[in-house]
Structures are given as structure tokens and as C-alpha cells.
Amino acid sequence: MTEFLIYSKRCFLVDFFTEATIHVKEQKIQNIYKGYHKIETISFLDYENLIVMPGIIDVHVHINEPGREDWEGFDTATKAAAIGGITTLIEMPLNASPVTTDLKAFKRKQEASKDKLHVNCGFYGGIIPSNKDDIEDLIIEGVFGIKGFLTHSGIDEFPNVSKTDLEAIAPILKKHNIPLLLHCELTDDNVPEVTNQKSYQNYLKSRPQHWESNAIDLAIDIQKRFDIKVHIVHLSASEGIERIKQRQKETNKLTVETCPHYLYFNAEDIPDESPIYKCAPPIRETTNNDALWEYLLDDGFNFLASDHSPAPPERKQLESGNFFKAWGGISGLQFTLPILFSEGKKRGLSTEKLISLLTSKPAEFLGIDYRKGSLQAGFDADITVWDDSQKFQITENAVQHKHKATPYLNETVFGKVIHTFVNGVQVIENSKLKTLQQGKLLLKDK
Ligand SMILES: [Zn+2]
């Protein structure tokens, strides 16, 4: 079925809900009609009161293929994405092996994704101390940004960069107008001694707020001096907000995201010996997270992204319970929408605002807002249909990620994805996989 009509009383058109009928033909949205609009010869999908919105765009995902397929892979990650209503994701330059720091590795990664993409997939390249001369090739080949770490990344072949390394590539980023994505933690020795590696409080204190703030200062300095786009990934420390706010008053080239786990969990509730919750920067205390929410409700965050970063149970140290030996990363892209919707309901986040933070705003960041991120005639037919009244429990059975371990397990949430369309094809029907391999490789400006 390559041509059909989707009707709902609640279609999200640009930034409001309205009754509409969407005409999908040959991968695109052909037209949008006001109200209930049947056309005799065309299939009509009547979704009544379900929310019909643009497909979610997740700009921060670690898929780990090639090289670490035992952690996650294109097949499982993009199946989980489709079930979660994500129609486009952008994959990080680590933790695949080789890491995506030169053209050859980037081509290998594209090759590895062949016939395994169930949603659209784009990529970032990486900056490490030794690959300044490779950055322009990566950009020309079509990466959406260049990612770097200011602290150890957890992957030895992806070492962190210094300010000097960033200064060296800033003119190239400026020339191509490509964002620099920074993991903002700047390590120092001003941390308490670790006495118990299985204690969450010990882990939390080992990565203090000032590590993030100091790194943000460095990021802002680079952004300012070179007038380049700088994006702060996964902000966790509320202490960083004020300096970001100040700079954002002067420029739109500084952007910032946060992730569902920082908005949903609080450090006080995380038991010891549970590295399933380990990520870096860490999930902080309630007062901190309240401040993140305040900033979110105040339109501070540019968008939200999952930072899906799974690893096998043994790497997560699920048996030993040792936070310091465990892989730092939260697995959960499948649950971004219900998690944020459920917590957002309690916090006073409107559904309209949430949808924008997951669709049009990330599209704008990627520069694909002329074809994705909203329901408009001529746009790619990436569409998510969900039921905001449906309550369900997240069960192990439902998890499509390669590994079932996720801190979201057993949570009871609202907002179930029912149908997903990728490039005009229904890939999820009644919350189950229907059609595979409909995702496209997405290269910037190609
Ligand atoms: Zn990440």
C-alpha cells in the first residue's frame, strides 16, 4: 500500500492539534485536508482520537556496529526505535569498532547498516587528538556533526580531546557550518575519596557538578571565539544552566539537550549495587532534576534525545553491582515517548511542547527541517500514531533492544505507540512490527 489516507481528530500540524486527513503517496505527504476527508479510491485509516504526529527524531543514539554487535546493532536498535515511534535517529561515532574518526571507518559503518535499517539513520563523526586531518573528509561524506569528549569516553580508542584539539578543527566546522557536539565533563582531583564502589552516592559524588560546569565554560569559550555551532549533549548538572542561558541570549549557535533518564529518575531513589542506572554524567538529586524541569518548561532545552547506550549485562556489572567497573550508559530509546509524556504530565509539560522537542526541534538542529520533523505537504511521510490515554507496564517481553536490561523495566507509564510509518510505509501496526527495512541512510545535504 503506497497510497493511503490517515485521519484523526487530533493531528499535530506544526504546533497545534486539529482534525485532519493526511494523504500519503510515494513516500511523501502529498496533501493535508481539513477535517474528515475520504477519497473513494484510496485506503482510509481512521485513527479516531489517537494522536497523529511527525515521527520522533532521536539525535543521540549509540548502536555500536560494526565491532561491538554484542552490545547493540542496527537491526535491534532500529526495530526498538520503530516500536517506540522514532522514525529517524542519528548514530554516535563511538562505540563501534573502528570508531568513526576517518572516512574509511565511516564507510565501513554505512556498509554495516545495509539491509538492517528499520528507521532512517544518519551519523556523526568523532574528533580525537590524532584525526584533525580527517574531519573535513567526514563532513564532506555527510556527517551531521562532530562529537568530542572532554573526559575519558569509556572507549580507549576514542580518547578525549583538549581545548587545543578543538581550536584546530574549529575553522573547518565554521567553513561547513557543522556543529561540534561535546560531552561536557572536565575531570579534576577535587572529588571525595571513593570508599564503597557499590554505593550510588559514592558514584554520584565522583562526578560532581563542577566537572560539567567547567566543561561548559570551555564549550562556550570555543563557541564564542570561533563563532561556531556548539551543542552540549546530555546536560545533567543544573549548575550549568545559568551560563548556558546567558550565552543563549546572545547567540542561537549554542544548543543543549537532556535525556529522559535525567528527567525521570532521582539519585535518592537509586539503590546501591544497581549499575543499571549508571551513566555519565550521573543522574543527580531531586532538587537538581527539578531545576532541569524548570529550565525545560521555560523553553531552555533545544530538544530531548535518548542517549541510548546499551551494553551486555556482564559489562553493566549487573551481578557484581560495582558502579565503578560498570559500563556507563542507559538503554532505553524505545521508551522515550511514554517516559517523557508520563513525567511531563506530572510536571505540567504540554503535549504540544513535548512533541516539538522530539520532532521539529531536533529536525531544525540537524538542518533537515525542510523535509522532516513536521506534518506538511511535500515532507517525508514519517508519522507516529499513539494513544495518550493508554496506561501500560514496561515488560521484559516488550523490549526490542538487543539486551533487555533497562532501568525503565516494570515502570507503569502512559502513552503507547500504536502505529509507525517510515517513508510512507507502515512499519508498526498495533504496536507490532509489520514491515522491515524501510529506513534510509541519511547523509547531510545529500
Ligand atoms: Zn552518548
Side-chain angles (χ1 to χ4, degrees):
M1 193 166 64
T2 57
E3 185 176 14
F4 50 93
L5 298 157
I6 292 175
Y7 163 81
S8 166
K9 288 195 182 79
R10 293 196 294 159
C11 287
F12 188 76
L13 300 186
V14 190
D15 56 3
F16 58 91
F17 287 110
T18 188
E19 185 181 14
T21 306
I22 300 165
H23 183 177
V24 173
K25 191 182 174 186
E26 287 156 6
Q27 307 185 21
K28 300 275 179 193
I29 296 172
Q30 287 294 315
N31 212 339
I32 296 178
Y33 303 100
K34 273 188 185 168
Y36 189 89
H37 188 98
K38 269 198 167 178
I39 299 173
E40 209 42 37
T41 52
I42 306 176
S43 313
F44 189 82
L45 302 168
D46 186 346
Y47 291 145
E48 300 173 350
N49 273 314
L50 298 179
I51 292 180
V52 172
M53 70 173 202
I56 296 169
I57 299 173
D58 187 345
V59 305
H60 192 153
V61 179
H62 299 265
I63 290 183
N64 312 335
E65 191 174 354
R68 286 191 179 84
E69 293 90 341
D70 52 328
W71 293 30
E72 183 60 290
F74 285 106
D75 178 56
T76 42
T78 61
K79 274 179 185 159
I83 294 230
I86 296 164
T87 54
T88 298
L89 57 82
I90 310 295
E91 210 268 333
M92 282 290 170
L94 70 168
N95 321 313
S97 179
V99 290
T100 321
T101 49
D102 62 34
L103 189 57
K104 203 171 146 209
F106 185 23
K107 292 212 160 154
R108 267 184 74 179
K109 190 181 265 189
Q110 292 178 59
E111 191 58 33
S113 74
K114 224 177 151 201
D115 300 329
K116 294 174 195 158
L117 294 182
H118 310 302
V119 304
N120 303 308
C121 180
F123 304 92
Y124 298 114
I127 173 73
I128 54 174
S130 58
N131 77 332
K132 296 173 196 71
D133 297 335
D134 295 300
I135 296 300
E136 194 156 27
D137 288 347
L138 287 166
I139 294 172
I140 291 167
E141 177 71 9
V143 295
F144 282 90
I146 298 294
K147 161 93 178 274
F149 274 70
L150 293 170
T151 182
H152 194 282
S153 73
I155 298 283
D156 289 337
E157 61 271 30
F158 200 95
N160 54 287
V161 282
S162 66
K163 194 171 183 173
T164 320
D165 298 322
L166 296 175
E167 286 168 346
I169 62 157
I172 306 164
L173 300 174
K174 169 90 178 157
K175 178 179 158 195
H176 294 277
N177 197 25
I178 285 284
L180 172 67
L181 291 86
L182 285 177
H183 176 117
C184 284
E185 281 185 297
L186 208 52
T187 320
D188 63 28
D189 294 331
N190 188 12
V191 286
E193 200 192 331
V194 176
T195 51
N196 178 0
Q197 298 201 334
K198 296 181 181 182
S199 149
Y200 187 73
Q201 288 306 319
N202 268 223
Y203 175 63
L204 174 60
K205 289 189 180 113
S206 76
R207 304 189 87 111
Q209 295 231 9
H210 75 261
W211 281 15
E212 279 192 71
S213 307
N214 291 344
I216 291 166
D217 286 341
L218 187 155
I220 292 175
D221 175 63
I222 296 273
Q223 188 285 314
K224 215 170 184 170
R225 281 195 291 123
F226 292 91
D227 187 35
I228 55 170
K229 288 182 179 169
V230 170
H231 178 65
I232 297 164
V233 297
H234 52 52
L235 181 79
S236 157
S238 60
E239 208 180 277
I241 291 173
E242 205 43 51
R243 41 215 350 124
I244 296 169
K245 256 189 181 170
Q246 287 310 319
R247 185 59 190 148
Q248 282 188 327
K249 279 184 194 156
E250 298 159 355
T251 182
N252 58 10
K253 290 185 179 171
L254 180 72
T255 50
V256 57
E257 77 190 22
T258 193
C259 315
H261 40 275
Y262 299 121
L263 297 168
Y264 190 77
F265 298 115
N266 297 307
E268 294 88 336
D269 305 325
I270 298 179
D272 289 343
E273 299 185 35
S274 59
I276 190 81
Y277 293 94
K278 180 181 175 181
C279 55
I283 296 166
R284 302 187 189 279
E285 305 85 346
T286 311
T287 47
N288 177 81
N289 303 341
D290 287 348
L292 294 181
W293 268 103
E294 198 182 314
Y295 185 52
L296 173 67
L297 294 171
D298 199 25
D299 297 331
F301 286 108
N302 294 82
F303 47 82
L304 302 168
S306 71
D307 192 10
H308 176 66
S309 183
E314 55 281 11
R315 287 207 171 259
K316 280 301 277 177
Q317 296 282 328
L318 297 183
E319 282 198 8
S320 79
N322 187 316
F323 284 100
F324 290 82
K325 285 187 182 155
W327 172 254
I330 300 272
S331 176
L333 92 162
Q334 191 180 330
F335 306 110
T336 292
L337 179 64
I339 287 294
L340 290 173
F341 177 66
S342 303
E343 187 63 23
K345 257 164 92 100
K346 294 183 202 156
R347 303 269 187 169
L349 174 66
S350 73
T351 309
E352 287 90 335
K353 204 178 259 188
L354 173 62
I355 295 174
S356 303
L357 287 166
L358 295 173
T359 59
S360 55
K361 298 283 186 67
E364 198 183 311
F365 170 72
L366 297 171
I368 55 172
D369 48 334
Y370 62 95
R371 58 181 277 211
K372 289 190 187 294
S374 58
L375 299 179
Q376 292 186 56
F379 274 46
D380 297 341
D382 296 337
I383 300 169
T384 292
V385 182
W386 59 290
D387 184 350
D388 57 336
S389 66
Q390 196 168 324
K391 195 174 165 185
F392 68 101
Q393 193 179 34
I394 295 173
T395 60
E396 206 168 78
N397 230 356
V399 180
Q400 295 283 330
H401 314 146
K402 178 156 277 176
H403 299 288
K404 305 283 186 188
T406 163
Y408 299 120
L409 211 61
N410 300 322
E411 293 296 309
T412 299
V413 287
F414 280 95
K416 192 162 172 105
V417 174
I418 311 291
H419 311 291
T420 310
F421 298 81
V422 173
N423 302 313
V425 176
Q426 184 160 16
V427 298
I428 301 296
E429 185 178 48
N430 298 319
S431 307
K432 293 201 165 60
L433 287 161
K434 184 183 185 198
T435 322
L436 296 178
Q437 296 177 13
Q438 296 304 312
K440 287 184 186 169
L441 208 68
L442 213 57
L443 297 175
K444 187 155 172 83
D445 295 332
K446 280 190 185 174

